[in-house]
């Protein structure tokens, strides 16, 4: 049996802006999706045992099928005589890199089962093709984080730029899940449309986002967490301005800040899915997590910089 896994991720700065070539920063989180591939006598079988937001799997079913087809094509494999079982501790929901983690896990498990010996770079390329099933034309940031792990400075381009960043030590975060399944493809298309319609307004916002990325990198690398938190707040404002946040996300961001988070923002595709709060102190992480839970939302307590 072939086995593989992919990390979940959290975008700390500049989701959406990254699609248009603005630098972004992403961190892998400790939770993963796993895939097991075995051979069967014919046909194709698929079992999705990931824990998930209600309706997530149903809503993503047709995109997931396209994604798996893309993966088999990219690997020159026939989608026949194969059974894939997905699992792991990454809660499948919007905003946490669930689609990318599944693409990476499946590509790794297929490579393992068919003795293809794919390098990380090759897995990342295949996972990018898989991501197209979910995102249309993704920036590639999610599959990159899901493949390599760690903390990454990412710029989409003809050749993507990926630089590893280092944190002095791991930092606690809380991720709050609105429970709403979001369509990343539609959110990305919306930004593109409004950017074309209001070029001046969007140019200014995009310039500010670029500045936030550079300052964010400096703050993370010098371990100035107060500055990181402030920049996350600024980034959330910019994401509100390009209309990818919503009331649930804004509400959870405010709850996190009111309970001591030093910064909070939506993360990922937006319009639902997850937000992230920076809570270096364990007691603050607990307090923010329980405040979000009390409001009836699911939380994930994890660390970045692993
Ligand atoms: C989704 O996790 C991140 C987006 O920027 C889309 C992408 O980069 O492909 C919204």
């Amino acid at each position: 049996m072939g086995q593989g896994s992919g990390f979940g991720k959290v975008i700390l700065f500049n989701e959406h802006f990254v699609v248009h070539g603005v630098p972004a920063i992403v961190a892998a989180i400790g939770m993963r999706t796993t895939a097991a591939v075995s051979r069967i006598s014919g046909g194709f079988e698929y079992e999705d045992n990931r824990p998930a937001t209600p309706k997530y799997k149903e809503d993503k079913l047709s995109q997931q099928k396209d994604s798996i087809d893309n993966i088999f094509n990219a690997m020159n494999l026939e989608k026949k005589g194969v059974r894939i079982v997905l699992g792991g501790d990454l809660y499948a929901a919007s905003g946490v890199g669930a689609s990318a983690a599944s693409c990476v896990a499946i590509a790794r498990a297929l490579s393992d089962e068919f003795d293809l010996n794919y390098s990380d770079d090759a897995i990342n390329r295949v996972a990018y093709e898989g991501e197209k099933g979910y995102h249309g034309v993704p920036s590639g940031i999610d599959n990159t984080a899901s493949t390599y792990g760690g903390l990454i400075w990412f710029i989409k381009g003809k050749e993507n730029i990926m630089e590893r960043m280092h944190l002095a030590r791991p930092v606690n975060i809380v991720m709050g899940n609105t429970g709403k399944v979001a369509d990343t493809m539609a959110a990305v298309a919306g930004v593109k449309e409004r950017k074309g319609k209001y070029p001046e307004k969007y140019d200014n916002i995009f310039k500010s986002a670029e500045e936030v990325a550079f300052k964010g990198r400096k703050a993370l690398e010098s371990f100035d967490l107060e500055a990181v938190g402030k920049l996350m707040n600024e980034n959330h404002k910019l994401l509100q301005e390009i209309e990818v946040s919503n009331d649930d996300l804004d509400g959870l961001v405010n709850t996190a800040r009111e309970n001591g988070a030093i910064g909070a923002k939506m993360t990922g595709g937006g319009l639902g899915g997850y937000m992230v709060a920076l809570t270096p102190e364990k007691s603050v992480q607990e307090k923010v997590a329980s405040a979000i839970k009390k409001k009836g939302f699911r939380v994930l307590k994890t660390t970045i910089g692993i």
Side-chain angles (χ1 to χ4, degrees):
M1 184 192 287
Q3 312 253 26
S5 72
F7 292 103
K9 67 94 197 11
V10 57
I11 296 182
L12 298 175
F13 295 107
N14 282 349
E15 46 276 277
H16 285 288
F17 298 106
V18 68
V19 174
H20 304 271
V22 177
I25 300 177
V26 64
I29 59 171
M31 287 99 181
R32 294 167 186 245
T33 290
T34 59
V37 166
S38 51
R39 315 269 186 120
I40 54 175
S41 56
F44 175 75
E45 288 178 14
Y46 186 73
E47 193 178 313
D48 190 346
N49 295 330
R50 292 174 298 169
T53 292
K55 277 186 85 244
Y56 177 87
K57 290 183 196 173
E58 292 87 329
D59 284 7
K60 299 279 175 187
L61 209 58
S62 95
Q63 293 185 353
Q64 189 178 46
K65 188 189 162 297
D66 293 346
S67 165
I68 293 174
D69 288 350
N70 289 356
I71 292 173
F72 274 85
N73 283 338
M75 297 180 80
N76 281 319
L77 291 171
E78 241 200 307
K79 202 174 136 196
K80 249 190 204 155
V82 172
R83 173 178 165 79
I84 298 179
V85 181
L86 283 191
D89 60 357
L90 179 68
Y91 197 79
S94 304
V96 74
S99 61
S102 71
C103 294
V104 170
I106 291 170
R108 286 199 194 284
L110 285 169
S111 168
D112 187 26
E113 176 61 24
F114 291 95
D115 291 326
L116 301 174
N117 277 320
Y118 272 37
S119 63
D120 278 352
D121 291 352
I123 294 291
N124 193 31
R125 278 195 294 274
V126 170
Y128 179 73
E129 294 304 313
E131 274 280 87
K132 287 184 182 168
Y134 292 96
H135 287 204
V137 186
S139 66
I141 191 170
D142 288 9
N143 48 279
T144 299
S146 186
T147 302
Y148 300 98
L151 182 66
I152 295 170
W153 170 262
F154 182 89
I155 307 175
K156 179 188 169 186
K158 264 204 187 116
E159 290 284 319
N160 293 339
I161 293 175
M162 172 200 144
E163 287 168 15
R164 266 200 186 288
M165 293 172 49
H166 296 284
L167 272 185
R169 54 184 178 276
V171 176
N172 295 320
I173 60 168
V174 173
M175 295 180 73
N177 182 358
T178 61
K180 293 228 166 77
V181 181
D183 185 346
T184 305
M185 212 188 285
V188 169
V191 173
K192 189 175 171 204
E193 190 196 319
R194 290 186 291 279
K195 191 174 183 296
K197 224 167 162 181
Y198 312 109
E200 212 171 300
K201 176 180 170 193
Y202 271 65
D203 278 358
N204 286 331
I205 303 172
F206 274 57
K207 262 189 212 118
S208 304
E210 184 160 349
E211 277 168 30
V212 165
F214 282 99
K215 287 185 190 161
R217 178 171 189 167
K218 205 164 150 210
L220 281 162
E221 288 182 332
S222 57
F223 211 66
D224 182 351
L225 298 182
E226 288 295 329
V228 174
K230 274 199 194 115
L231 289 161
M232 286 170 68
N233 291 341
E234 256 179 61
N235 207 199
H236 183 68
K237 223 156 124 215
L238 298 173
L239 290 159
Q240 285 175 317
E241 286 173 19
I242 62 168
E243 299 180 41
V244 289
S245 191
N246 66 6
D247 289 348
D248 284 343
L249 286 165
D250 293 346
L252 292 185
V253 161
N254 288 336
T255 302
R257 290 178 190 156
E258 283 158 17
N259 283 279
I262 56 179
K265 63 182 276 288
M266 57 152 276
T267 186
L271 303 179
Y274 272 96
M275 50 69 69
V276 54
L278 193 67
T279 54
E281 278 180 44
K282 195 84 202 147
S283 59
V284 176
Q285 187 188 36
E286 292 298 335
K287 195 169 168 211
V288 168
S290 58
I292 291 177
K293 249 194 251 167
K294 223 185 256 162
K295 285 191 140 186
F297 295 96
R298 283 187 75 96
V299 285
L300 196 153
K301 288 180 280 180
T302 185
T303 51
I304 53 168
I306 39 171

